[in-house]
Amino acid sequence: SGGTVPGSADNVCITTAGIAVTYSSGGTTTVNSLHSAGTLSVSNGTIFVSTTSDTNGLSVGSLGALRGPISIASLTLSGGTVSNGTLTGPSSTWTGGQFAGVVASGATFTLSGSALKTVGFLGFQNNGTVIWSGGDITADSGVVNNGLFEVRTDNLISSTVAATFSNAGTFLVNKPVASFSNQTQIGVFLAFNN
């Protein structure tokens, strides 16, 4: 790119697999599309993509955000925001921050660690496998489960407004016997429809 940050009419292509590219401008960049064979790390700043995009790997830290229609083979979300993402691979993790999007059929999304996980404005749809093993979830935009949603924690999933967890798939509570003294809670304002 000649040492400049791409603009709103640009299509960003990272064609070398196995490399990591870090975005840390602290500002906001809009691009037409993003296609990456490597891993994109958004550590500080926001990237907006306008048209359907894809990346082999995406890592988003607490000061980062990626917004727009993007397919992600492997996501590591430790903070910050991913909005309008579609997870397509077998190993994505969410330890904190905000996610809105879809877990595709065949994909696995592991929610772990003690930090709060927030479902973003566009909601959360699971068509694959979600394994929730730690941290509360706030789901003001609701959750749709058409796949396997496995609960391995005593944490709370709730909403601050009237929202719904719609289950058309399998909602499995799979915890050690000792942990049943505290039940997984579907909390305030979040209706569970099965």
Side-chain angles (χ1 to χ4, degrees), residues 16-190:
T16 306
I19 67 165
V21 176
T22 300
Y23 177 83
S24 60
S25 76
T28 299
T29 299
T30 299
V31 296
N32 186 51
S33 69
L34 170 67
H35 305 282
S36 176
T39 298
L40 177 62
S41 175
V42 184
S43 61
N44 186 3
T46 300
I47 299 173
F48 286 94
V49 294
S50 300
T51 62
T52 303
S53 298
D54 59 86
T55 183
N56 190 48
L58 176 64
S59 175
V60 180
S62 62
L63 299 176
L66 193 142
R67 301 176 184 277
I70 187 163
S71 293
I72 306 161
S74 178
L75 171 66
T76 301
L77 180 58
S78 60
T81 300
V82 173
S83 181
N84 203 8
T86 299
L87 305 181
T88 60
S91 61
S92 290
T93 59
W94 185 8
T95 58
Q98 183 180 95
F99 178 83
V102 175
V103 179
S105 178
T108 299
F109 199 19
T110 302
L111 288 58
S112 62
S114 60
L116 176 68
K117 290 127 188 91
T118 302
V119 173
F121 175 73
L122 297 175
F124 183 96
Q125 180 173 325
N126 175 41
N127 298 324
T129 300
V130 170
I131 300 169
W132 175 30
S133 63
D136 289 347
I137 300 171
T138 300
D140 288 355
S141 296
V143 175
V144 174
N145 180 48
N146 297 315
L148 170 62
F149 197 103
E150 184 175 345
V151 179
R152 299 179 183 176
T153 183
D154 292 324
N155 287 94
L156 175 69
I157 182 170
S158 64
S159 178
T160 60
V161 297
T164 304
F165 187 111
S166 296
N167 183 49
T170 301
F171 186 85
L172 175 65
V173 178
N174 185 12
K175 300 184 291 187
V177 173
S179 72
F180 277 99
S181 60
N182 294 317
Q183 298 295 312
T184 298
Q185 301 176 43
I186 304 292
V188 140
F189 298 120
L190 188 67

